[in-house]
């Protein structure tokens, strides 16, 4: 029996000239039939810590005063078998050489999205991809991304990758969770260390995942899958 999965995608420091070294693309995914149950559980964790149900989870909001709340979220992610995460980390964008491969940054960006999601896709399942609305990823680029994903997956009828659409992160708890996990990886790979609560979250993710977060996981890792991209421009 086939299953429909929702993938919630976000990114950090993805612009070509933003003066940041590391870039992270990531996705949290879960069965579509579990999305409401997961969102409800996350709202309950918010309320447990005295926060409004519509409080937006964001890596930029992590502080010592909310450390226990964010640690609870990390633990919930690892405890719920229906939640999964994969990220692609580009440690140093300065090493990119788009001209060598006859591409621009947008072309490479689409390739990186397929690199992110290709190990998630199973031909017997269906997928709905949701991306945080950003000025840099407008309607035309989202349509192009859908084309690229389907073409590279040989899904020309779009039977497998049913949709790629933008959503508001403050309305989708799973997307907020993706922001948190991506933010942790970005903070680590940028070598930052000034926020004790953020460092505590990174340590909790290391402990719960069993990974250093600086090396690739096994390709078939299904809970916290990580690829550290070492290409020079294209693949």
């Amino acid at each position: 029996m086939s299953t429909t999965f929702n993938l919630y995608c976000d990114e950090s420091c993805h612009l070509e000239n933003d003066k940041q070294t590391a870039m992270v693309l990531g996705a949290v995914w879960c069965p579509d039939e579990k999305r409401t149950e997961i969102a409800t559980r996350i709202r309950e964790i918010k309320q447990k810590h005295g926060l409004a149900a519509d409080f937006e989870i964001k890596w930029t909001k992590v502080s010592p005063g909310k450390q226990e709340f964010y640690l609870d979220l990390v633990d919930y992610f690892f405890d719920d078998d229906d939640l999964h995460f994969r990220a692609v980390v580009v440690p140093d964008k300065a090493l990119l050489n788009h001209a060598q491969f006859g591409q621009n940054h947008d072309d490479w960006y689409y390739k990186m999205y397929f690199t992110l999601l290709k190990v998630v896709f199973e031909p017997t399942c269906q997928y709905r991809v949701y991306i945080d609305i950003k000025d840099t990823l407008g309607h035309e680029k989202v349509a192009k991304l859908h084309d690229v994903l389907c073409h590279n997956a040989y899904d020309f009828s779009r039977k497998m990758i049913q949709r790629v659409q933008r959503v508001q992160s403050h309305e989708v708890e799973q997307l907020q969770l993706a922001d948190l996990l991506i933010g942790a990886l970005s903070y680590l790979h940028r070598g930052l260390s000034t926020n004790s609560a953020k460092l505590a979250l990174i340590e909790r993710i290391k402990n719960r995942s069993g990974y250093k977060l600086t090396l690739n996981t096994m390709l078939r890792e299904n809970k916290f899958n990580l690829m550290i991209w070492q290409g020079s421009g294209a693949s």
Side-chain angles (χ1 to χ4, degrees):
M1 189 173 89
S2 66
T3 302
T4 299
F5 290 93
N6 293 345
L7 294 106
Y8 303 92
C9 303
D10 202 358
E11 58 219 4
S12 175
C13 305
H14 60 288
L15 299 177
E16 185 173 13
N17 300 308
D18 59 7
K19 298 181 180 180
Q20 301 292 341
T21 53
M23 164 181 160
V24 184
L25 293 176
V28 164
W29 75 95
C30 66
D32 178 67
E33 63 182 14
K34 295 290 185 177
R35 73 186 190 281
T36 301
E37 176 185 323
I38 290 168
T40 298
R41 180 69 186 112
I42 292 174
R43 293 188 195 111
E44 289 172 351
I45 295 172
K46 294 177 186 180
Q47 293 173 316
K48 170 188 170 184
H49 288 271
L51 300 169
D54 60 355
F55 174 83
E56 185 174 5
I57 301 159
K58 290 184 72 69
W59 176 254
T60 56
K61 293 183 179 180
V62 174
S63 64
K66 292 186 175 65
Q67 178 174 315
E68 293 306 313
F69 163 63
Y70 283 107
L71 288 173
D72 266 5
L73 285 173
V74 169
D75 284 338
Y76 169 62
F77 166 78
F78 282 102
D79 290 339
D80 192 324
D81 292 339
D82 291 315
L83 282 169
H84 311 271
F85 177 74
R86 171 165 161 85
V88 172
V89 178
V90 180
D92 189 356
K93 289 185 293 183
L95 299 178
L96 298 177
N97 186 351
H98 296 318
Q100 179 183 352
F101 295 93
Q103 63 188 12
N104 59 34
H105 193 71
D106 281 348
D107 296 333
W108 176 80
Y109 175 83
Y110 295 132
K111 292 177 184 178
M112 287 298 97
Y113 246 112
F114 180 70
T115 299
L116 170 71
L117 299 178
K118 67 181 180 180
V119 304
V120 178
F121 294 147
E122 295 283 351
T124 57
C125 297
Q126 289 78 48
Y127 299 90
R128 298 166 181 172
V129 181
Y130 300 99
I131 301 174
D132 188 15
I133 288 180
K134 286 183 170 65
D135 292 339
T136 54
L137 198 64
H139 175 75
E140 289 184 2
K141 286 189 176 181
V142 168
K144 173 70 178 296
L145 177 59
H146 196 179
D147 287 341
V148 170
L149 292 176
C150 289
H151 178 79
N152 287 347
Y154 302 101
D155 180 30
F156 303 112
S157 65
R158 299 192 175 188
K159 181 179 180 181
M160 181 175 69
I161 307 169
Q162 296 181 337
R163 72 178 68 147
V164 178
Q165 71 181 66
R166 298 179 298 165
V167 292
Q168 296 279 2
S169 62
H170 68 269
E171 298 175 348
V172 184
E173 272 73 18
Q174 291 90 334
L175 190 53
Q176 296 171 34
L177 191 57
D179 177 278
L180 186 68
L181 297 174
I182 291 164
L185 289 170
S186 178
Y187 196 83
L188 174 66
H189 283 269
R190 289 159 60 201
L192 303 176
S193 61
T194 57
N195 186 314
S196 61
K198 290 182 176 180
L199 294 176
L201 257 69
I202 291 169
E203 286 304 310
R204 182 64 62 89
I205 294 169
K206 287 181 179 179
N207 291 335
R208 293 300 310 267
S209 68
Y211 296 118
K212 295 180 179 179
L213 310 184
T214 55
L215 301 171
N216 292 344
T217 64
M218 294 291 288
L219 187 63
R220 302 301 295 178
E221 165 62 47
N222 194 40
K223 185 63 179 182
F224 197 94
N225 188 301
L226 187 59
M227 175 185 172
I228 311 300
W229 187 80
Q230 299 294 347
S232 58
S235 61

